[in-house]
Amino acid sequence: MPKLKIEDLARIRDQARRSTLLREGAGRVKIIVHLGTCGIAAGGRNIMAAVLRELEERNLEDVLVSTSGCAGLCSREPMMTVEVLGQAPVKYVDLTEGKVREIFAEHIVGGRIAERYALAVGSERAM
Amino acid sequence: MPYRVHCMVCAGTGCVSNRSLDVREALEREIRKRGLQEEIQVVTTGCNGFCAVGPLMVVQPDGIFYQQLTPKDIPYLVEEHFIKGRPAQKLMYTPPEAPSPIPRMSDIPFFKHQRLIALRNRGLIDPEKIEDYIARDGYQALVKALTRMTPEQIIEEITRSGLRGRGGAGFPTGVKWRKVREASGEPKYIICNGDEGDPGAFMDRSIFESDPHSVIEGMLIGARAIGARHGVVYIRNEYPLALERIQIAIQQAREYGLLGENILDSGLDFDISVTRGAGAFVCGEETALIASVEGRLGDPRARPPYPSEYGLWGKPTCINNVETWANVPPIIMHGADWYSQIGTERSKGTKVFSLVGKVRNTGLVEVPMGITLRELIYDIGGGIPGDKKFKAVQTGGPSGGCIPAGMMDQPIEYVAPDGKREARDYLDLPIDYESLTDVGSMMGSGGLVVMDEDTCMVDVARYFLAFTQDESCGACTPCREGTKLMLDILNRIVEGHGTMDDLRALEEIGWVVKQTSLCGLGKTAPNPVLTTIKYFRDEYVAHIEAHKCPARVCRELNTYRIDPVICVERGHGCGVCRRECPEKAIFGEKNQPHRIDPALCKKCGVCVDVCHFNAVIVE
């Protein structure tokens, strides 16, 4: 191991932070893949894999991935919710790996909601 | 592929003792079995703090807090949370009064009221990976100290921050650094005092275990400020995990060139060696510690000269406690103004406490100075288990004192920051160095032992004095002879042979030992005795005059009898007590009431422990 210079320290920090930022629960975008029984049966696991692949290929550091159970609309699974910080969450339905790629390009990176795949903007009211 | 989930498994000493490493292994196995190893990372962290409910794990990024895990729970947890996306409710923490489990760590009262500075990285990093520390801005304060600050500016910043020694005495850290910097004599040394010996205290251990690099970075900044080239970490050998982690951290820092020569091309040369202590309590005293580092017997010497002038190998030495060092990088990073706005008028910043004893949420907490005992014991600690009454809290370990629970008829005078005087309950006392000293106790290193109505204060005083008497090095007469005499008297009192003259003598000897001992050990050893006499005199009198222990702890003073009605109606004269009594002092037939012969009874209390029906009455 060669001796560190000050710039190296910043480089190591940025590199390591990519993997540890997740622990602080802070991100620009949060993606929730719905993995209830219905979601899994409809291929949700492949959607999850596609999401993680996109994250890697695009080298995105500020996107958190989470899972949740059935969203109550089993006929439209696989589903995922994309929540950009400060904006209403968007639910995407009837997903395929191809659609995931498009949603990444347009919404998560591009900032425009991919309306043709979106079910609705916003969530149900709880309580 | 990046991981989508990080499982932060606690591997502090508390959780490891509860087999958290088995849990980790089961988790890794299950994740592989389910083919999730590319998505889910298992991270081993240092102490999370909530030791009462370990082994525990936090799942990020959602911050889901799982508790009391066993390897058997893991397949269910993985299936529910990681495959189906439903965090497993039944493995979450439910506070006693709450209707349902609290999923997120940040919503749990134990964590909600804390403010982490010294423990800023706990549970967030793998303490054995320097990259994890660097990712959390580790060593950036060092960069700032090396490139943008002169040694004088560093000392000025630390002085203005108001940081005071976290080992107990509360000496202003900046003042100490300046003294060492200005002292004549080369080379200068830096020591990290990790000889944490108070029973029930584990602040320093936890910092070593969860974030060892924060100590190294603090020492590096200190080295730059005072002009030292060599540092020593003194750590007790009874802390194997802490020892291992600080050694790994030092090795990693050396490999990265963060220790050694010409650090980060700044011209700073500094390295750290580790000295293991053999577990003598007195070695926490700075002059004894220095003697021990030099390879001599750990005996304290009279001060002055202080170590800042005449320390390790007779050279100027800056010795600070682990927690103090861990506070240095954030102060340099964020500035004195930021730090000094936290805390009280005279005590700035936060303090780490180990909260133990008769309190629901035992563990390690970091809170702003000025927090009240009530917040600490009830809001964070969750109160006293089993609906018992809160009786007292012991602060500062064996050198500290007992503070009694709300004596509403004897409120203390509290001077608010704006100068207003008001009467306050003891429990609403804002904790800082001065307020604790005012009530006869001390901050100490931060041990807090909570006691309930079942605790005998005389017995507590005897326990702590037995500890300090045993640890007294014998170098000075007041401590060596005085603590022995005091312990003899206390033993007489708990056995029922004490007199009122004994009580007077106890107080008198206590004051002499306090005022004339050579070092801090003897100067503070009488504190538990003196404060319990002050606040719980009636308990001492009950032991002496009525030969009774009000809390029914001192077995010699108790009498035991069996309630004949309970024995027959509930227990049907089961005879367990008769069979288990080592003195054969219990008589009776099946279905008949049993009876203890007081002439034969040696008051061991076994009958109480074995009776399933609570038929044995202690009076």
Side-chain angles (χ1 to χ4, degrees), chain A residues 1-6 9-10 12-13 16-17 19-26 30 34-37 40 45 48-49 52-53 55-56 64-70, chain B residues 1-6 8 36 39 41 43 60-62 81-85 124-126 131-132 134-137 139-140 143 147 255-257 261-265:
Chain A
M1 170 72 57
K3 269 191 49 160
L4 287 195
K5 301 200 185 324
I6 288 173
L9 204 56
I12 294 173
R13 177 190 59 187
R17 187 175 272 174
S19 59
T20 58
L21 202 62
L22 181 103
R23 296 173 198 166
E24 288 157 47
K30 188 172 181 185
H34 295 265
L35 287 181
T37 304
I40 296 171
R45 305 271 335 143
M48 171 61 81
L52 294 178
R53 215 163 34 237
L55 284 183
E56 191 185 22
L64 302 179
V65 182
S66 184
T67 58
S68 77
C70 171
Chain B
M1 243 177 5
Y3 296 106
R4 67 175 168 97
V5 169
H6 289 194
M8 317 301 285
L36 296 170
E39 294 178 23
Q41 186 187 23
V43 184
Q60 298 288 15
D62 294 324
H81 192 155
F82 301 144
I83 301 208
K84 295 184 182 161
L124 288 172
I125 64 168
D126 182 335
E131 292 82 5
D132 274 24
I134 293 173
R136 300 260 309 152
D137 280 331
Y139 291 108
Q140 291 297 326
V143 170
T147 55
E255 284 169 12
Y256 270 53
E261 285 174 9
N262 194 17
I263 292 162
L264 295 171
D265 285 335

Side-chain angles (χ1 to χ4, degrees), chain B residues 257-304:
Chain B
L258 292 165
L259 287 173
E261 285 174 9
N262 194 17
I263 292 162
L264 295 171
D265 285 335
S266 66
L268 175 71
D269 301 336
F270 185 68
D271 207 350
I272 296 176
S273 60
V274 174
T275 301
R276 291 176 300 160
F281 181 63
V282 74
C283 285
E285 198 281 335
E286 55 185 16
T287 60
L289 186 151
I290 287 169
S292 172
V293 174
E294 290 173 351
R296 294 184 285 120
L297 202 60
D299 281 347
R301 61 162 176 79
R303 299 175 303 179

